[in-house]
């Protein structure tokens, strides 16, 4: 086999790919699920802030939404800790589109 017959090496780093080793499948799956949940949490938080600003929520609704978002954030932190993940580990790199989540988390 000549050098021209060999498949081209992928020059991109492999750090963002899922590792399908049996020992890491669970962690990688949890990472993907938590990424989606974090994206939805941030979207819900932004929508709640817009509704707070507009003033179309009762005081009870504001408290309930605030408590729900706070509890969700705490549970997310617990799950990240359990699987050894940092918040930045959930921010997928979408290549030319940039990161999935805002870098400041908000």
């Amino acid at each position: 086999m000549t050098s021209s017959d060999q498949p081209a090496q992928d020059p991109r780093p492999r750090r963002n790919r899922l590792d399908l080793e049996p020992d890491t499948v669970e962690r990688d799956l949890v990472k993907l699920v938590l990424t989606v949940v974090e994206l939805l949490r941030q979207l819900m938080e932004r929508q709640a802030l817009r509704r707070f600003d507009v003033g179309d929520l009762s005081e009870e609704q504001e408290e309930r939404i605030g408590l729900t978002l706070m509890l969700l954030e705490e549970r997310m932190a617990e799950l990240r800790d359990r699987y050894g993940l940092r918040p930045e580990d959930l921010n997928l790199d979408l290549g030319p589109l940039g990161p999935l989540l805002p870098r400041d988390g908000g």
Side-chain angles (χ1 to χ4, degrees):
M1 191 183 234
T2 66
S3 62
S4 62
D5 294 335
Q6 295 177 354
Q9 292 289 332
D10 188 355
R12 294 174 293 180
R14 303 188 76 198
R15 63 180 169 79
N16 289 328
R17 295 188 184 174
L18 287 178
D19 183 1
L20 295 179
E21 295 297 320
D23 296 340
T24 63
V25 169
E26 181 179 13
R27 182 178 184 271
D28 289 340
L29 180 59
V30 167
K31 180 180 175 180
L32 180 60
V33 170
L34 289 180
T35 297
V36 172
V37 171
E38 178 61 15
L39 175 63
L40 293 173
R41 186 195 69 75
Q42 287 185 19
L43 292 173
M44 289 178 358
E45 188 175 87
R46 286 189 196 109
Q47 180 64 25
L49 289 173
R50 278 194 285 276
R51 292 186 70 191
F52 291 159
D53 290 343
V54 171
D56 68 347
L57 297 173
S58 70
E59 190 173 314
E60 181 183 324
Q61 289 173 318
E62 288 180 5
E63 286 183 32
R64 193 172 67 236
I65 290 171
L67 179 61
T68 300
L69 290 172
M70 184 178 71
L71 292 172
L72 179 56
E73 191 169 355
E74 287 176 8
R75 185 67 175 131
M76 289 285 294
E78 290 172 14
L79 289 169
R80 283 193 315 266
D81 289 346
R82 178 185 296 172
Y83 289 93
L85 297 168
R86 300 166 299 164
E88 56 269 20
D89 293 333
L90 304 183
N91 200 358
L92 299 178
D93 181 2
L94 300 177
L97 298 176
L100 177 65
L101 304 171
R103 293 204 189 276
D104 63 0

